[in-house]
């Protein structure tokens, strides 16, 4: 009978180790996507007065002019959830391309005329440039 007890103990140890391993592995798939911002439009707000009564802030918008081979203003400060719109009015085509890991989602197409928007969902400093004219640079600071 001692061999039966030893076998039961071994089964319990192996089962415990397998369970612990499964629990550890299930915690390894964090939910960080590596992206700090999205190119979606402003989020829809519910049509209630509760948000207004609690002092909830409505997302704002900022505009950057792309003209005369520069971004103007070159430095903009916004809040999390705000949208920045680049308005292209130069004689040459331009892009808005993020610099560095934090700004990797900022990636407009080549634009001659018109506008392109980006909504910032995480705080930080987002540097960008025109990939066609790298001397054109700007920074969006998100608080």
């Amino acid at each position: 009978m001692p061999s039966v007890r030893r076998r039961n103990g071994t089964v319990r140890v192996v089962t415990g180790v397998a369970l612990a391993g499964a629990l550890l592995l299930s915690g390894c798939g964090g939910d960080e996507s590596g992206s700090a911002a999205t190119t979606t439009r402003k989020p829809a707000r519910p049509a209630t007065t509760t948000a207004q009564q609690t002092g909830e802030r409505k997302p704002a918008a900022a505009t950057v002019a792309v003209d005369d081979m520069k971004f103007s203003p070159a430095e903009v400060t916004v809040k999390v959830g705000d949208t920045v719109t680049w308005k292209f009015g130069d004689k040459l085509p331009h892009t808005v391309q993020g610099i560095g890991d934090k700004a990797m989602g900022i990636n407009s197409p080549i634009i001659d005329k018109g506008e392109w928007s980006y909504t910032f969902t995480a705080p930080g400093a987002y540097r960008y440039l025109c990939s066609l004219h790298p001397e054109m640079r700007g920074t969006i600071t998100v608080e």
Side-chain angles (χ1 to χ4, degrees):
M1 286 294 185
S3 63
V4 172
R5 287 186 188 161
R6 187 177 300 152
R7 194 174 302 151
N8 284 343
T10 303
V11 169
R12 287 184 188 152
V13 169
V14 170
T15 303
V17 169
L19 180 59
L23 289 173
L24 285 173
L25 287 175
S26 69
C28 290
D31 61 350
E32 287 189 28
S33 65
S35 176
T38 63
T39 56
T40 57
R41 297 287 180 199
K42 295 180 200 175
R45 293 192 54 194
T48 65
T49 58
T50 308
Q52 295 167 349
Q53 293 171 354
T54 61
E56 193 174 304
R57 191 182 75 81
K58 183 177 181 180
T63 301
V64 175
V66 184
D67 202 6
D68 294 327
M69 294 294 289
K70 64 184 175 194
F71 295 111
S72 182
E75 296 183 14
V76 174
T77 300
V78 296
K79 303 282 185 195
V80 171
D82 288 352
T83 299
V84 176
T85 299
W86 286 264
K87 293 194 177 189
F88 297 83
D90 209 344
K91 296 175 185 174
L92 298 171
H94 297 287
T95 67
V96 179
Q97 178 69 53
I99 302 171
D101 291 342
K102 187 152 190 90
M104 288 306 291
I106 302 172
N107 189 16
S108 79
I110 296 173
I111 300 176
D112 289 331
K113 299 282 184 212
E115 60 185 45
W116 183 77
S117 297
Y118 191 85
T119 300
F120 291 86
T121 59
Y126 296 83
R127 298 177 307 131
Y128 64 93
L129 55 74
C130 171
S131 62
L132 303 175
H133 310 101
E135 69 278 5
M136 293 175 59
R137 293 174 177 259
T139 303
I140 306 295
T141 302
V142 182
E143 299 175 332

